[in-house]
Amino acid sequence: MARKSYIFTSESVSEGHPDKLCDRVSDAVLDAFLTAEPLARVACETFATTGRVVVGGEVGLSNPEATKAMMARIDAIVRDCVKDIGYEQDKFHWNTLEVQNYLHGQSAHIAQGVNRDGAGDQGIMFGYACRETPELMPAPIQYAHAILRRLAEVRKSGAEPTLGPDAKSQLSLRYEDGVPVEVTSIVLSHQHALESQTSADIRAIVEPYIREVLPSGWITEKTEWWVNPTGTFVIGGPDGDAGLTGRKIIVDTYGGAAPHGGGAFSGKDPTKVDRSAAYAARYLAKNVVAAGLADRCTLQVSYAIGVAKPLSIYVDTHGTGRVEEARIEQAVAKCMDLTPLGIRTRLELNKPIYARTSAYGHFGRAPEADGGFSWEKIDLTEALKKAV
């Protein structure tokens, strides 16, 4: 039987974390190409270190001249991302950093499979949903994101001018009878502007916002606080630690509460099933839970490069299902076309909607009017109930 009482921990990182900055650049490049052409091919990787951002990978538009023109925009795209995040440090400043662009055309051998509407690669992808939060997400990762999102808001608004862009949060939640009831520990490391600021000073700044975000009663007298536990944190971002696209895949998904297939999301156009099929799996798992078919659902799909039809669909409801898992597997296959083209069409993924996903999680966000976070909709519930 599944454990009912335990402590579980998840972490998040801010948009100014070096790896997240790289995710942001990669997704901003993707958005630029999709704005120019909805069927653009992009697999963009970014590396950042002191005073330098390196961009590389495979891209392409149907018009070679348009591709050439887009290449000339990469420098400005990088600087705009760094400026918006807020880096104006001596050794990492949006205006003075060096940008190196090594983007080139997509491999013809990969393109031949994708052009037939097959998957852009082999792999396994997982989706997950549960009833711990209104967003049907695991509580530790959802609230770890919420803390950093709120602190970013007050930093950018000017309400807390001494906070810097780089930050990490970590929440440990105690569960009773499978329900989160208490925060046992809060870890927050936040970059700050003044050498004179102590850990206690930073806690005094951030604690009111953390209490504002977390559900009432979760913070108790027993809750341990670890705010900037190493002390001074003035040197942050890529000047303090190098960054790379795709290194925060657990932060991007379910905080370790569910399996991960291993493929990163950022910088990949939706022909890459690492991204699009993971979104589809979340969409289906969320709708299974929203439909009342289970209280928890893990859903796996698998693909072969160049092959359109998924090789397998697997559902685990962790003992919470109200119908047999095999029936749910049959229902999701009936209710949604899980070919790469079918996923892109259903979720409208050929749009420039990706830069906003690059921080604070790809899941548990509200669907947006322009198609952003379309995989968070719960518009498949009636079809699923009918299908089972």
Side-chain angles (χ1 to χ4, degrees):
M1 293 180 63
R3 292 181 65 188
K4 296 291 186 179
S5 298
Y6 53 91
I7 295 173
F8 192 83
T9 303
S10 293
E11 73 153 347
S12 179
V13 297
S14 72
E15 64 200 74
H17 184 281
D19 295 331
K20 284 283 120 194
L21 181 146
C22 291
D23 286 345
R24 170 71 174 275
V25 169
S26 293
D27 274 336
V29 170
L30 169 60
D31 280 354
F33 274 85
L34 290 176
T35 298
E37 185 176 303
L39 298 180
R41 301 287 170 79
V42 179
C44 177
E45 308 292 342
T46 303
F47 168 72
T49 187
T50 302
R52 180 172 300 180
V53 174
V54 182
V55 180
E58 300 77 48
V59 297
L61 301 169
S62 57
N63 184 331
E65 289 303 313
T67 302
K68 184 178 179 180
M70 187 63 68
M71 290 295 192
R73 292 181 52 199
I74 300 302
D75 184 277
I77 290 170
V78 171
R79 295 183 194 280
D80 286 348
C81 289
V82 176
K83 183 178 182 180
D84 183 66
I85 290 169
Y87 278 112
E88 295 186 343
Q89 298 171 193
D90 289 343
K91 295 184 179 180
F92 197 81
H93 193 295
W94 63 269
N95 193 38
T96 59
L97 61 83
E98 179 184 354
V99 178
Q100 295 176 283
N101 177 10
Y102 297 102
L103 294 169
H104 58 83
Q106 184 181 48
S107 162
H109 293 170
I110 293 175
Q112 65 185 350
V114 178
N115 291 341
R116 297 194 301 265
D117 292 325
D121 202 353
Q122 70 177 47
I124 57 175
M125 299 84 205
F126 288 92
Y128 181 74
C130 63
R131 293 198 176 277
E132 292 179 19
T133 63
E135 299 82 6
L136 303 184
M137 283 286 288
I141 187 65
Q142 191 70 7
Y143 288 107
H145 287 322
I147 288 170
L148 293 181
R149 204 160 47 234
R150 181 67 179 125
L151 292 173
E153 289 171 357
V154 297
R155 171 177 65 86
K156 289 186 167 184
S157 73
E160 300 296 348
T162 64
L163 294 181
D166 196 355
K168 302 178 77 171
S169 66
Q170 185 171 288
L171 278 184
S172 297
L173 297 186
R174 182 171 64 83
Y175 287 70
E176 285 185 2
D177 198 25
V179 177
V181 296
E182 179 188 14
V183 178
T184 60
S185 67
I186 298 169
V187 182
L188 181 79
S189 293
H190 210 300
Q191 184 185 11
H192 54 97
L194 306 176
E195 292 274 0
S196 60
Q197 288 175 301
T198 66
S199 297
D201 294 330
I202 303 304
R203 176 173 172 176
I205 292 171
V206 303
E207 183 172 343
Y209 300 109
I210 294 174
R211 289 183 177 274
E212 171 191 320
V213 164
L214 295 179
S216 177
W218 277 20
I219 296 177
T220 70
E221 293 181 354
K222 296 180 181 179
T223 301
E224 295 182 345
W225 290 77
W226 301 98
V227 177
N228 285 19
T230 63
T232 304
F233 183 13
V234 172
I235 301 172
D239 184 33
D241 190 11
L244 192 66
T245 299
R247 282 204 299 200
K248 288 292 178 284
I249 58 175
I250 302 303
V251 170
D252 283 344
T253 53
Y254 307 102
H260 195 295
F265 300 157
S266 289
K268 297 178 181 178
D269 74 67
T271 68
K272 280 75 173 174
V273 284
D274 276 346
R275 183 169 219 161
S276 56
Y279 289 176
R282 161 64 179 173
Y283 174 65
L284 290 169
K286 184 175 183 180
N287 275 270
V288 166
V289 173
L293 303 181
D295 291 334
R296 290 175 61 200
C297 179
T298 299
L299 188 147
Q300 183 205 60
V301 287
S302 67
Y303 292 86
I305 188 169
V307 179
K309 184 180 178 181
L311 305 183
S312 64
I313 301 172
Y314 167 79
V315 168
D316 184 357
T317 57
H318 308 277
T320 70
R322 293 169 181 82
V323 297
E324 293 178 357
E325 285 141 333
R327 290 172 62 192
I328 298 176
E329 291 167 354
Q330 294 166 1
V332 298
K334 181 178 180 181
C335 292
M336 184 174 178
D337 178 358
L338 285 170
T339 65
L341 177 59
I343 293 170
R344 298 197 304 273
T345 301
R346 173 83 192 195
L347 299 180
E348 300 182 280
L349 297 181
N350 290 112
K351 295 180 177 181
I353 55 173
Y354 296 103
R356 70 193 74 169
T357 70
S358 62
Y360 314 119
H362 292 245
F363 307 130
R365 311 279 287 272
E368 297 177 349
D370 66 351
F373 302 102
S374 60
W375 49 93
E376 292 297 313
K377 293 180 179 179
I378 49 173
D379 56 0
L380 206 62
T381 56
E382 293 305 316
L384 285 170
K385 286 189 281 188
K386 183 178 180 180
V388 298

